[in-house]
Amino acid sequence: MAKAFELKKEKLYRFTGGMAAVATPFDKHGKLDINHIDSYAKYLVRIGVKGVYIIGTTGEGYSLALNEKISLIQAWRKAIDSLPNENRLVAVVNVSSTVVSEIFQLAAKVEELNFDGVALLPPIYYQATTICHLTKYIKQILDKCAQNTPFLYYHIPSFTNELKFELEDFIEHALNKIPQFVALKYTDSNIVRFASIQSKFGDKVNIFAGFEETLLATKLHGGRAAIGATFSFVHSSLHYQSLIEAFEAKQLEKANNEQKMITNFCASLRIDGNFFATLKNQLNKELENEGKVAKLDSYNKWLGANYIIYHLRYVVAILLGHVEVEFPYISDTGTHVPESNFFAQMLNLVACLVAITVYIRFKQVEQYYRDDLTTQSTKIFRLNRIANFFGLLSALGLSVVANFREIELFKIHLFGALMAFGFGATYCWFQTWLSYSMAPLVNSIAMARWRLFLSIVITINFLTTCVMGQISIHHFHGKDPTNWNPGDGGFVTHVISSVAEWIAALSLDFFILSFTKEFQTFTMQTPRILLLKSYDILESTTIDGGRIESRENLHSSFFADPSISSGTQIMH
């Protein structure tokens, strides 16, 4: 038992990165709704969160009854246990209350359910006046109800007022008296004090930054982890991960830019005057969009399926004897009936899908840099527009190839092929540059390198196709270039040219399909159609889902519109 306890302490002490201070879900009547905890936990794992802080300030712990708190932590335990072992969230439960008997019951339940940590505030009304008083208060609870659960002390003087003594002195005393003490949530803007306690106790206590605005400052003084209210948002979580990576790479300017983005987002949540209500409204929208992500994911799978079906016409052309087996040009496999009809139909469809993908990618990059402005934004906007232009020209080239067969209008067909491959290769190079610029927030650095490799392959093989194709045509003396045989002259260079063309085409396919994972992180909303004659009526009709308030805001708006279509109405 002692060894297991020490391992649990070590786990919480070694925790690094972001832990989300999770919000608490209510239904439209203001009652606790635990039905979406499971999907909430899975969503947090998907956006890279490593842990959850339950029933904290963001979780409105002081607005919950004892039975609600117990139901909530049971739901979180069940949700976490359902996750794969490699994605299992570290979970700390705050058991603070103004009713001491509730604290005892909650702490016992946390230990029973084997959570990774129990958190506790100092008394907020009858305040501890001495170090011994506060230490005895905490020790009494832990020794009776949570002997084998690591303890996190919750320091938030803006809510509990300053201690009557120095925090450093309390930590030193608590380490000697409370064996469970291994972590501290530092929700305080006093960075001098953070630097002091991190320097003195960082080798014994994992001190979590509690204000997102201080993430970089605490990192500069040795902080390794943070508990944040905004870590339930994908962009905030990713910005924090990027901040850590930039700091460790000694890229302080980039780390500072990431901190500014997080700080600006926090400021936007305070504009309406109620941070938590606004946070939950925004989180509702993000979770609502989670239900729609599958649509873009399905779109990418559909695009991939069409690529496969499109290339199957090669098999048809071979079986019908319309082309030679040894790597004909792609267009040769769509020259004769019936594969020519199939070729035109499918390639037109692929051209449309590629154009849509190019546009979606354009809007993704544009929106990302519009939401998170950096010193590069103006340059990024310009390059993104240029990339979009080349991508659409490449899609147009595919359509030209589909509609102008090589045996009838060869020059136009060839021009379309040059557009498709030439502008396509140019588009890939622009997207590779953008991928490096947006790593690791939008895509990983590994993905940027993969796209660089594909861009090189596409370019080399496109040039090889052009050069070898001209050489082979010069030596050709057969009757039908769409069915090129070894005795027709220039056969070896023809095969090299056609193989290069297939490699370039497949590499372009892989490049476009590489956006699939990134398309899973956002959604595109259905356009609203406003009839001008009924404009006033439509403007007064809410069709985007209702307001969902925090319990803190019940005096002004208690009910919420239950019309969110995705079924992820999680935040009240």
Side-chain angles (χ1 to χ4, degrees), residues 26 32 44 108 155 181 196 224 228 233 253 260 274 286 299 313-314 344 348 364 375 411 428 471 517 552 557 571:
F26 300 99
L32 181 69
L44 291 173
H155 172 72
F181 183 30
S196 176
R224 296 181 286 113
F233 295 91
E253 183 178 356
K260 287 178 181 178
N274 189 326
E286 187 147 326
Y299 160 77
R313 81 205 182 286
Y314 166 72
N348 272 315
Q364 180 197 20
T375 53
K411 290 184 178 180
C428 291
I471 295 173
K517 187 173 182 180
E552 183 182 321
S557 178
M571 297 301 121

Side-chain angles (χ1 to χ4, degrees), residues 84 413 426:
H413 182 92
T426 306

Side-chain angles (χ1 to χ4, degrees), residues 252-263:
L252 293 185
E253 183 178 356
K254 182 178 180 182
N256 190 47
N257 283 335
E258 303 298 343
Q259 176 65 77
K260 287 178 181 178
M261 292 176 185
I262 297 170
T263 300

Side-chain angles (χ1 to χ4, degrees), residues 349-463:
L349 181 56
V350 168
C352 289
L353 294 175
V354 168
I356 293 170
T357 303
V358 167
Y359 178 72
I360 291 173
R361 177 64 171 180
F362 166 71
K363 296 301 292 184
Q364 180 197 20
V365 175
E366 181 185 68
Q367 191 62 50
Y368 172 75
Y369 277 95
R370 184 160 289 152
D371 289 344
D372 303 313
L373 293 176
T374 69
T375 53
Q376 296 189 80
S377 294
T378 302
K379 184 178 181 181
I380 293 290
F381 285 147
R382 184 172 63 253
L383 292 175
N384 190 38
R385 285 192 293 269
I386 296 172
N388 183 59
F389 174 72
F390 281 116
L392 293 176
L393 284 179
S394 178
L396 178 61
L398 287 174
S399 183
V400 170
V401 170
N403 296 307
F404 297 88
R405 293 195 301 174
E406 63 176 339
I407 60 174
E408 296 163 349
L409 295 163
F410 177 74
K411 290 184 178 180
I412 297 178
H413 182 92
L414 181 61
F415 179 71
L418 292 172
M419 286 179 63
F421 283 105
F423 292 139
T426 306
Y427 175 77
C428 291
W429 280 107
F430 275 105
Q431 286 299 330
T432 298
W433 190 91
L434 288 169
S435 297
Y436 271 99
S437 299
M438 296 189 294
L441 294 176
V442 175
N443 53 260
S444 65
I445 193 68
M447 180 56 73
R449 289 168 181 160
W450 169 241
R451 287 174 184 155
L452 174 61
F453 170 75
L454 289 175
S455 298
I456 294 171
V457 170
I458 292 165
T459 303
I460 291 174
N461 283 280
F462 170 58
L463 294 175

Side-chain angles (χ1 to χ4, degrees), residues 50 198 270 301 326 344 487 529:
K50 297 180 180 179
Q198 177 66 39
R270 294 191 177 91
K301 292 174 181 175
E326 295 87 354
I529 305 299

